[in-house]
Structure formats: C-alpha cells, structure tokens
Amino acid sequence: METSNAKNSDSSESLAKGLKSRHVTMLAVGGVIGAGFFLGAGSTINTAGPAVIFSYLFGGLITFLVMVLLTEMAVSTPVAGSFQKYAEMSLGHLPGFLTGWTYWLAFLIGPASESIAAGTFLNVWFPQIPIWVFALVVATLMTVVNLIGVKFFGELEFWLSLIKVVALALFIIAGCVVLFGFTPVSNVSFSNLVDNGGFAPAGFGGVVTAMMIVMFSFGGTEAIGTAAEESEHPERDLPKALRSTLIRILVLFVLSIFVLVCILPWQKAGVSSSPFVDATRIIAGPTAANIMNFVVLIAALSCIDAGIYATSRMMFSMSRDGYFPKVFAKTNKKSKAPVNAILVSCVMLFIGAILYYFFEDFAYTWLASVSGFGFMFAWLMICLSQPKMREIALKRDGSLKWKAPGGRPLQIAAVILIVGIYVGQLFSESGRDTLIAGAVWLIIATAYYFAIGKKSNEKTKTQV
C-alpha cells in the first residue's frame, strides 16, 4: 500500500499526535494572517487601488474551493506529506515530488519574507538597529520554538493566532465607528474608495497583477493538511477547522481590507510600514498605532512559526520516502519533532535576512511573489489530485469519511481559476518575472528528481 511509509513502525520516523482541534484551526489561521497580509496589503493596494477588495474576494473564493478538496483527501488519508503524497498517489511520482519540493520552497521563502517584515515592524521602535539584524534575531527565536516539540508549538501558535484575530476584529469595529460618523475623523470616509483616481485606477489588470501577492497572503491555509498525521481526531478536527477557518479568514480579510482602503488613501500604502499601523494612527492616534505594530509583529512571528512547522513536516515526509537523505526523517526520541528537517527549514530564515541586507528595495516583495507562485502550484496539484484520490479512498474504505460538496464541477472551477491567475501574470512585468523564477525552479527540481530523487525513492521502497 502506498501510504505504508507514512505509517512506518520505526519510532524514530514517526510523529507525535499532539495537536488538538483548536490547535489545528489556529494553525490554519496562523499560516495565513501574517505579514503577507499586514505588510503585503500595502503592495496590493498600491498595485490595484481600492479595487484590491475584489482581489481578496477572488482569492478567498479560490481558497474555499481548494481547501474543501484538500479536507476530503486529508480526512480519508491523513499523512504528514499531505498533498505531496496525494499528488504522488494520483498523478505520479514526478508530480508528487514537484508538489512537495515546490511547496517546501514556497513555505521556506514565505517565512523568510516574514522575518524581514518582523524586522521592519521592530525597526519602527528601534530605528537605529538595522532591519536585517532584527530578522536574524527572529530567525533564531523561531528555530528554538520549533525544536521544543509539537505540543508547545501548537499551544504557542494558538495564542499568537488568537491575538491577531482579535486585533483584526477590533480594527474593523473601530474603522466602522469612524466611517459611520460616530467618531468622525477628517479625511476618513467612504469617498476614499473612489477619490484619487477612481475605484480601479489600474483597471482590471491591476486587480489581476495584485493576485500573486494576495495568494501569498492566503497561502498557508493548506497547512491543515500537513497537520493531519499529528491530529488526534483528523476526521473530526479537519472539517471543523475548515469551516471555522474559512469564515474567519474571509470575513477578517475582506472586511478589514474594505475598512483599510476607506481610511488610508491608496497611494499612501506601501511596504516600508504596515498600512494597518498607518490607518490605526489616523483613526486612533500613536498609542493605538504602537499596539497595532505589536500585533502585526506577533502576526509575522506566528506565520513564521506555522511556516517552519509545515515545511519541516513536508521535508520529513519526503525524506521518509527517500527523496532526500534519511537523516531528515529522524525524530527526537523525547519530543518526536523532526529536528534535522526543522533546522534545514530554518536556514532560509537567515537567508532572508541576508537578502534584505544586499537587496533592501525589493527583497520582501520579490520573496512574497515567488512564494505565491509556489503556493499556487501546490494548490493546483491539490485540485488535480482530488478525483483520483476519491477513487482510491472509495476502493480502500468503501465510503468517504467526509465528502467535498460540489463534486466534479467544484474541482474544475478551482483548476480554471488558478490557471487564470497564472495567465494573468503574463500581462505585467513583475508577474512575468515571478513566472520565470517559478519555471526555473521547476526545471531545477525536475533535474534533481531524475538525477537523484527517483533512484533514491525506488531504493527506499525496496527496503520497506
């Protein structure tokens, strides 16, 4: 059976089942509401203007479709490799390898950009200390947190995620109080939606161009799939996490962006500071802005935490299958954490700080865009894997433990929408650069597979 490796009896290659329902839910939230949203929103608003609201609505729709399909597969076949294993089982070994390694890269680059963002937020308070220094400190802290063990990770992620969810809700409420005239603030009104060049100053092209950063913001929701093997009750926890996570993300994302562009003129949004901090300063003063800056710092740390978790588990799974050296499939005897995989995944955090040192002007935006490409590729593979994985589950179990509503039409719609975003990137210079970088990565990954990965995987199978 193809999932046998996922259930390896070797205790040194098994993970602890330490994640409860609330941990799984907040892991998905933590992987999403990070600096990609709090800081990246500035880039998307600057690109699309107030019409960026539709970019986030569109991104939310795609997120919903993909996560529904993933939840069905994760409940039926809960393994640490999640959609990497599903792609391998349904589409073949090469697609499975490309899915896992590309996602690993995407979620490695994501936390790297988040470490830069965390440094940016800390620099607001301590401008005399360079951002790259803060990024190094954050990288070290997050490495230690992930080495302790999954229970500590889950508990920390729960509270970090809770803080940013509450803060976003309060931002929405405070913004509405001002916008509806209960506490008027000059130059803050719904007219900001259409002033300064109109609702869509860059047209439909701006909305599409902003999508790659937007999808980077949504990237991370799929982490609930990688948590399946460490969930105590995946058949109960994953569908519950899906429902609550999607409601929270869609409501918090779309409403907060709507309020944000009403408060802050779109030309003033950027990535030198969080637009949420700037907007909070406008409606509530410098003290409240400092509190929001603390929240967005927490958001960045939370997202880094979730990113290291997801990438280390993906590397652990692929090493267990023989694609990478077996040393990365070993777990600590006491914590059951894949220590070596975690350490490798944390290296990219330090690389992010180094990149910012040399390429300050575009390091964050470029890293976020390339990471968005990787997330979108993984999501496309999730959608393409689902029909075959449903067949496999039905033959094996006789029925589905949880069935994705919508069936085949939902799956087709998800594939079309994701491909549409990729095509849309051809119409902007930054989008084309992102696609080129992604294509180069896929070529390198394919070359590695045929040179090393394929033979190593086949050798591992003969030893099981």
Side-chain angles (χ1 to χ4, degrees):
M1 187 171 167
E2 292 200 51
T3 58
S4 60
N5 281 356
K7 299 173 183 176
N8 198 310
S9 59
D10 184 352
S11 61
S12 68
E13 295 184 11
S14 60
L15 300 172
K17 291 186 177 296
L19 295 181
K20 300 182 183 299
S21 177
R22 63 190 179 92
H23 295 149
V24 175
T25 298
M26 283 304 186
L27 172 61
V29 174
V32 177
I33 306 177
F37 181 60
F38 281 112
L39 185 62
S43 176
T44 61
I45 292 170
N46 221 268
T47 299
V52 76
I53 296 168
F54 287 109
S55 299
Y56 282 95
L57 275 171
F58 191 47
L61 172 63
I62 296 174
T63 303
F64 171 76
L65 297 178
V66 174
M67 292 310 108
V68 164
L69 298 173
L70 175 59
T71 298
E72 178 185 288
M73 294 186 286
V75 169
S76 298
T77 311
V79 293
S82 187
F83 40 88
Q84 178 265 325
K85 291 295 296 181
Y86 307 149
E88 181 180 300
M89 294 168 67
S90 59
L91 304 175
H93 292 288
L94 177 58
F97 175 80
L98 291 177
T99 299
W101 209 14
T102 301
Y103 179 75
W104 181 69
L105 178 75
F107 229 149
L108 274 181
I109 292 177
S113 67
E114 299 280 348
S115 68
I116 293 173
T120 302
F121 303 144
L122 285 166
N123 184 255
V124 171
W125 294 321
F126 308 100
Q128 70 275 16
I129 299 177
I131 290 175
W132 67 269
V133 173
F134 282 125
L136 285 176
V137 173
V138 168
T140 303
L141 175 63
M142 290 295 98
T143 300
V144 173
V145 166
N146 272 268
L147 288 174
I148 294 176
V150 70
K151 287 188 177 181
F152 179 79
F153 158 79
E155 199 63 34
L156 178 65
E157 187 59 32
F158 173 82
W159 291 107
L160 291 179
S161 296
L162 185 62
I163 289 172
K164 57 190 178 184
V165 167
V166 171
L168 266 184
L170 291 175
F171 174 81
I172 293 170
I173 293 171
C176 288
V177 167
V178 172
L179 288 169
F180 285 103
F182 296 106
T183 308
V185 174
S186 60
N187 299 320
V188 173
S189 70
F190 292 108
S191 63
N192 279 329
L193 290 171
V194 293
D195 290 344
N196 308 307
F199 181 70
F204 181 71
V207 175
V208 175
T209 301
M211 284 304 303
M212 200 58 83
I213 298 288
V214 168
M215 296 317 298
F216 168 65
S217 300
F218 280 104
T221 325
E222 71 293 318
I224 63 173
T226 62
E229 189 174 328
E230 291 173 277
S231 172
E232 294 178 342
H233 303 285
E235 71 285 350
R236 179 199 67 191
D237 295 346
L238 296 187
K240 182 179 178 181
L242 169 74
R243 291 189 295 270
S244 59
T245 299
L246 287 175
I247 291 172
R248 292 174 191 179
I249 289 174
L250 289 176
V251 171
L252 291 173
F253 265 50
V254 178
L255 280 182
S256 59
I257 287 293
F258 177 83
V259 170
L260 181 61
V261 294
C262 289
I263 296 172
L264 188 69
W266 67 270
Q267 301 100 320
K268 295 184 179 181
V271 294
S272 59
S273 64
S274 169
F276 285 92
V277 174
D278 297 336
T280 301
R281 182 176 289 106
I282 291 173
I283 63 174
T287 301
N290 277 321
I291 294 174
M292 179 58 80
N293 194 60
F294 172 76
V295 170
V296 295
L297 172 62
I298 290 296
L301 296 179
S302 170
C303 208
I304 294 169
D305 203 23
I308 295 173
Y309 174 84
T311 50
S312 62
R313 270 53 179 185
M314 184 64 73
M315 188 174 198
F316 165 84
S317 175
M318 295 182 73
S319 299
R320 192 165 57 178
D321 288 346
Y323 289 117
F324 298 123
K326 276 286 187 179
V327 66
F328 300 119
K330 299 296 182 181
T331 58
N332 180 273
K333 291 182 179 180
K334 185 177 180 180
S335 67
K336 286 297 181 181
V339 175
N340 295 326
I342 289 172
L343 289 174
V344 170
S345 298
C346 288
V347 167
M348 192 64 190
L349 298 179
F350 295 92
I351 293 176
I354 295 170
L355 281 175
Y356 187 84
Y357 179 81
F358 289 105
F359 307 105
E360 179 178 337
D361 292 338
F362 74 94
Y364 176 81
T365 302
W366 188 81
L367 286 172
S369 296
V370 174
S371 184
F373 173 93
F375 284 128
M376 291 296 293
F377 183 83
W379 285 19
L380 179 61
M381 292 299 104
I382 289 172
C383 297
L384 294 175
S385 301
Q386 186 266 343
K388 182 64 177 179
M389 285 303 300
R390 174 177 283 193
E391 290 182 18
I392 292 173
L394 287 173
K395 288 181 180 179
R396 184 187 63 219
D397 304 324
S399 62
L400 295 174
K401 297 177 182 178
W402 190 86
K403 185 176 181 180
R408 187 67 168 171
L410 183 145
Q411 185 261 348
I412 293 173
V415 171
I416 292 174
L417 290 174
I418 293 173
V419 171
I421 291 177
Y422 276 128
V423 172
Q425 300 310 304
L426 295 171
F427 297 96
S428 73
E429 183 178 353
S430 61
R432 288 191 294 271
D433 290 343
T434 300
L435 291 180
I436 291 171
V440 169
W441 168 255
L442 291 177
I443 292 171
I444 294 173
T446 301
Y448 173 89
Y449 173 80
F450 285 112
I452 301 174
K454 183 179 180 180
K455 294 178 182 178
S456 180
N457 173 253
E458 291 172 350
K459 182 179 179 180
T460 299
K461 286 184 175 180
T462 63
Q463 296 174 348
V464 176

